Amino acid sequence: MNKDIINPSKKTITYAATLSSVVSLLPVEEPDVPYLNRSNGIVSITTTPRKGQWAYGKIPRLFLLYAQTLIKEVSPMVDFENRTIHLDETFNSFCKNTGIAANGQREQVTRMLENLGSTVFQVTNWFKDEQGRTVHDAINVLVADRTHICFDRNSDEYKEGSYIRFSELMWGILNENPVPLNREIVMNLGKSSRALDIYQWLAFRANGARRETGVTWEALLMQFKYDGYPMREFRRKFRRALEKIQLAWPELKVEITETGVIVRPSLPSIQSADNVADTDAGGADDEEPMNPFVS
């Protein structure tokens, strides 16, 4: 089977899972904690790696967008019956289609995809029952039942091909009302994990928005980082990521204030101009300073 039948890079739209557009699922850099908790309104996500082996940064994010798009476009690379995404036959082709830089990253890409497959998301919803009592409804979502990643033609494992078989719960998340993104913008922001997360959220908020919405810095911190992270540092990094997004999506109407961010109805990013500006002038901002608690 030739798994390079469809090249999503020729598509104008990339799709993102609604859940990852509401809450940042994965860390930007490798954490030194056993788990991370993020929340947005009534939704709370606890991300836990297997044996401390984190999936973080650009690679797993770009892969999930790629997988989501293949599913939405009903690609021949998707085995829907077995909830399986088959990867491209060559490493270079896979990297080209996902937007991942290929140079010297084969080992890192393989590790990040394997770590992603063994990651568990605990998804908790908070709501009131008929008696007015607060109810916590939680499910534990293992990303994949099996990952088989091998791009080495000299390996016996190469004959089986590379694929990820998602768990039933994760497959449900990937098939639930995906959020359309502008593929050019995704590729343009691909060097910044933080900008990708914020872009997904803004695309979700702007899609069908009819009135402006204010979000506090405290709420944004819990959505994209974690409680206790230095607010001053978070605001600086958020502003820098937003500048990249606004360059790529000039029709976006967002205002930063002292108390937070105001999101106004905007032209959807998939209708944005084709000529996307270069957002790399400021450099990538994924790496944390040696001590983020020191300005």
Side-chain angles (χ1 to χ4, degrees):
M1 173 182 177
N2 181 0
K3 306 186 186 69
D4 295 333
I5 296 174
I6 285 184
N7 180 354
S9 65
K10 295 179 182 177
K11 303 289 184 180
T12 59
I13 299 177
T14 289
Y15 293 90
T18 297
L19 185 62
S20 65
S21 304
V22 172
V23 181
S24 181
L25 299 180
L26 298 168
V28 169
E29 66 287 324
E30 186 173 15
D32 57 359
V33 292
Y35 63 87
L36 288 177
N37 183 264
R38 276 83 176 263
S39 62
N40 183 355
I42 64 171
V43 178
S44 176
I45 307 290
T46 301
T47 303
T48 307
R50 179 178 178 272
K51 296 182 178 180
Q53 301 300 306
W54 283 97
Y56 60 90
K58 301 173 283 289
I59 294 169
R61 284 169 167 82
L62 289 169
F63 169 72
L64 285 176
L65 293 175
Y66 175 66
Q68 183 78 69
T69 303
L70 292 177
I71 293 170
K72 180 65 177 178
E73 299 294 344
V74 196
S75 167
M77 296 169 68
V78 182
D79 179 348
F80 287 89
E81 183 177 355
N82 293 301
R83 307 186 304 273
T84 300
I85 300 290
H86 291 277
L87 277 56
D88 306 77
E89 290 184 347
T90 67
F91 179 70
N92 286 339
S93 177
F94 172 72
C95 289
K96 179 181 179 181
N97 290 341
T98 57
I100 297 169
N103 295 339
Q105 287 212 94
R106 181 178 298 187
E107 183 177 338
Q108 177 74 349
V109 168
T110 300
R111 184 165 67 92
M112 285 297 105
L113 293 182
E114 290 175 345
N115 290 354
L116 174 65
S118 61
T119 297
V120 174
F121 301 123
Q122 183 181 73
V123 185
T124 304
N125 289 288
W126 312 60
F127 60 92
K128 297 287 186 179
D129 64 10
E130 295 179 354
Q131 287 74 42
R133 295 171 298 190
T134 300
V135 177
H136 300 169
D137 179 46
I139 58 172
N140 292 313
V141 181
L142 174 66
V143 173
D145 289 337
R146 184 179 183 190
T147 59
H148 185 272
I149 313 299
C150 181
F151 292 107
D152 183 1
R153 291 180 178 271
N154 297 319
S155 171
D156 291 337
E157 295 183 357
Y158 179 80
K159 299 176 183 178
E160 189 177 345
S162 294
Y163 61 87
I164 291 185
R165 182 178 301 144
F166 290 97
S167 70
E168 185 174 354
L169 289 174
M170 189 65 188
W171 192 251
I173 289 172
L174 293 174
N175 280 275
E176 182 179 4
N177 300 323
V179 177
L181 307 176
N182 185 311
R183 183 167 180 81
E184 279 194 79
I185 294 177
V186 168
M187 292 301 181
N188 202 262
L189 298 174
K191 293 183 180 180
S192 172
S193 305
R194 185 174 292 104
L196 281 172
D197 285 352
I198 297 172
Y199 167 51
Q200 288 185 59
W201 169 65
L202 288 169
F204 173 74
R205 296 298 295 262
N207 192 20
R210 296 183 179 180
R211 62 178 183 274
E212 69 176 40
T213 305
V215 186
T216 66
W217 285 116
E218 289 74 19
L220 290 169
L221 180 70
M222 291 302 299
Q223 183 177 343
F224 293 104
K225 201 64 181 174
Y226 52 83
D227 191 24
Y229 188 84
M231 180 61 75
R232 182 177 178 181
E233 183 69 14
F234 171 73
R235 290 174 62 166
R236 182 186 70 80
K237 289 181 175 292
F238 189 97
R239 285 174 182 270
R240 190 169 179 181
L242 184 58
E243 288 172 359
K244 296 174 184 287
I245 298 167
Q246 289 176 310
L247 281 173
W249 181 8
E251 300 88 352
L252 175 65
K253 297 178 181 178
V254 176
E255 179 185 351
I256 288 182
T257 69
E258 282 300 313
T259 58
V261 173
I262 298 174
V263 183
R264 297 187 173 92
S266 306
L267 184 74
S269 68
I270 59 173
Q271 299 177 27
S272 184
D274 291 335
N275 295 323
V276 180
D278 181 10
T279 65
D280 289 334
D285 193 28
D286 281 352
E287 297 300 324
E288 298 292 339
M290 292 299 293
N291 184 356
F293 292 85
V294 177
S295 299

